[in-house]
Amino acid sequence: MIKPPASARKPGSALLDWYDAHRRVLPWRAAAGERADPYAVWLSEIMLQQTTVATVKGYFERFLTRWPTVEALAAAPLEDVLAQWAGLGYYARARNLHACAVMVARAHGGRFPQDETELMALPGVGPYTAAAISAIAFDRPCAAVDGNVERVATRLHAIEAPVRQAKPLIRAKVEEMLPDARAGDFAQALMDLGATVCTPRTPDCGACPLASGCVAFRAGAAERFPVKEKKADRPKRRGAIFILQRGAQTLVTRRPPKGLFGGMSAFPATPLTRDVAPEEWLRFAPCEAQWRALPEPVAHVFTHFALTATVFIAQTKASPQLAPDCRWAAGRDLGKEGLPALMRKAALAAGLSMD
DNA sequence: CATCCGTGGGG
DNA sequence: TCCCCAAGGAT
């Protein structure tokens, strides 16, 4: 069959041709012409929220190996899921992941809904993820608008308004592009294009299948889009982390179910979202002990603040009075505790082996 | 609706 | 060093 020249066809068609030639091979992505497992699509989409492909790959493989089905994941203790998620960040995603698995397994008979609106009712599934699952797993014509697609769309139409306000317009523009068939491929093509060609800094417009219709490119100003709002400056905060050892054991706590590191295993610490002056640090120690501060604090940058945490270490022989959410972790199991990256940094600074 | 919520890599 | 950001969602 002879295809008409790309210029005479819908832009979505040129994009699909490009996708057939340049699509990325990713662990959660089905082979060309095959449909992906909805469970794998959902799992990958949750992990990929605000997280790079390179970082997600390993986590995705480990999750899928350990919990091959949504029923298996639903049957797992939340603590196991959180431990497996440790290091990925945004831990509410892991809590919602588990809650969503339970909901799908119990209320939906183990099958993910195909409809965008029904998907959005699931924990951790918002407008983008619902559209992505519906399109990729079920080939429904939904506009999955993520950061990549926002960038592509704002360039195509030279949208000057800050993306924050332009979201409805962007979605409308993407919906206009939706093809009659291959909705899943189209959604992934738009994201691949944004990730590999229509990149934030130096887009490769010469390789772009949509360049001929791109207003920003014709103006020689692709890099100017999307227009961004000013970012608030990151406040600096101080705090302390307490590592108490009893023989080969190390004291860990369970963080409260919400907030920073919600539900995660961690070392006792000052309230990390507050700036706590050095004079007050020892008030937050889990017990009385000969606390010794490491000479170099641990620096850790969160989305909305930068933390400098002094690490205190102490040994104890007796069994001190401890808060009820504390427990002793075997030294050789500390690596399996599933500690957030900050806590792992602290452990390494203290010379603990994390294997 | 602005804020909260992690982390690691690249320019 | 610093800043940006990467397949956002919940509240």
Side-chain angles (χ1 to χ4, degrees):
Chain A
M1 164 162 171
I2 299 173
K3 295 179 182 175
S7 58
R9 294 149 54 218
K10 297 178 65 175
S13 197
L15 181 61
L16 285 170
D17 289 346
W18 175 86
Y19 184 68
D20 289 336
H22 301 288
R23 53 178 290 173
R24 290 179 291 176
V25 175
L26 300 169
W28 45 86
R29 188 171 275 183
E34 294 182 13
R35 186 162 298 185
D37 172 14
Y39 171 65
V41 172
W42 163 73
L43 179 61
S44 69
E45 289 298 340
I46 302 300
M47 288 183 167
L48 286 161
Q49 288 167 5
Q50 298 290 285
T51 308
T52 58
V53 165
T55 300
V56 165
K57 281 181 179 172
Y59 282 88
F60 176 81
E61 305 276 19
R62 288 190 290 276
F63 264 74
L64 208 59
T65 297
R66 181 161 176 182
W67 299 297
T69 66
V70 69
E71 289 90 348
L73 185 58
L78 173 61
E79 288 70 26
D80 291 358
V81 177
L82 290 172
Q84 199 74 75
W85 193 276
L88 247 195
Y90 285 144
Y91 297 100
R93 290 185 297 170
R95 303 192 299 269
N96 287 328
L97 185 85
H98 186 258
C100 182
V102 169
M103 192 174 294
V104 170
R106 307 235 212 291
H108 293 273
R111 294 177 181 266
F112 281 84
Q114 303 189 16
D115 179 73
E116 208 175 345
T117 305
E118 287 182 58
L119 283 162
M120 266 216 278
L122 299 172
V125 178
Y128 160 73
T129 305
I133 295 172
S134 191
I136 298 171
F138 303 113
D139 219 31
R140 295 201 174 189
C142 301
V145 182
D146 70 336
N148 287 310
V149 178
E150 284 179 351
R151 188 167 55 253
V152 172
T154 53
R155 285 173 177 172
L156 275 177
H157 306 285
I159 297 174
E160 299 282 356
V163 283
R164 192 90 193 175
Q165 307 157 29
K167 280 187 189 299
L169 176 60
I170 293 169
R171 167 173 270 274
K173 294 296 187 185
V174 174
E175 283 175 351
E176 287 177 17
M177 293 176 69
L178 294 180
D180 299 326
R182 301 184 62 188
D185 284 348
F186 178 81
Q188 295 174 92
L190 221 39
M191 289 188 272
D192 273 20
L193 187 73
T196 65
V197 173
C198 194
T199 52
R201 292 194 191 78
T202 53
D204 187 7
C205 298
C208 181
L210 305 182
S212 65
C214 180
V215 179
F217 169 65
R218 288 205 303 266
E223 302 84 349
R224 216 156 58 68
F225 302 93
V227 176
K228 308 179 53 185
E229 298 161 310
K230 5 188 153 178
K231 43 244 152 182
D233 57 343
R234 226 191 301 268
K236 300 182 192 309
R237 286 167 187 164
R238 299 160 297 171
I241 296 169
F242 300 96
I243 298 180
L244 183 65
Q245 292 185 276
R246 187 178 68 178
Q249 296 179 308
T250 305
L251 186 71
V252 295
T253 73
R254 181 67 57 182
R255 302 272 304 182
K258 293 182 178 180
L260 190 72
F261 302 146
M264 297 295 290
S265 183
F267 302 122
T270 58
L272 297 173
T273 56
R274 317 279 179 193
D275 179 52
V276 180
E279 310 84 68
E280 301 188 50
W281 287 346
L282 273 306
R283 291 183 37 228
F284 296 95
C287 67
E288 298 267 348
Q290 297 286 327
W291 292 105
R292 179 170 67 85
L294 297 185
E296 287 300 321
V298 169
H300 195 73
V301 180
F302 296 92
T303 303
H304 54 299
F305 67 96
L307 176 70
T308 303
T310 296
V311 180
F312 286 85
I313 60 177
Q315 316 285 332
T316 186
K317 289 180 180 175
S319 295
Q321 290 228 342
L322 298 166
D325 53 6
C326 286
R327 63 193 168 79
W328 294 100
R332 57 178 300 120
D333 290 340
L334 199 54
K336 300 175 188 169
E337 267 302 314
L339 297 173
L342 167 64
M343 298 297 163
R344 181 167 288 259
K345 279 186 192 175
L348 290 173
L352 277 61
S353 96
M354 298 297 294
D355 289 334

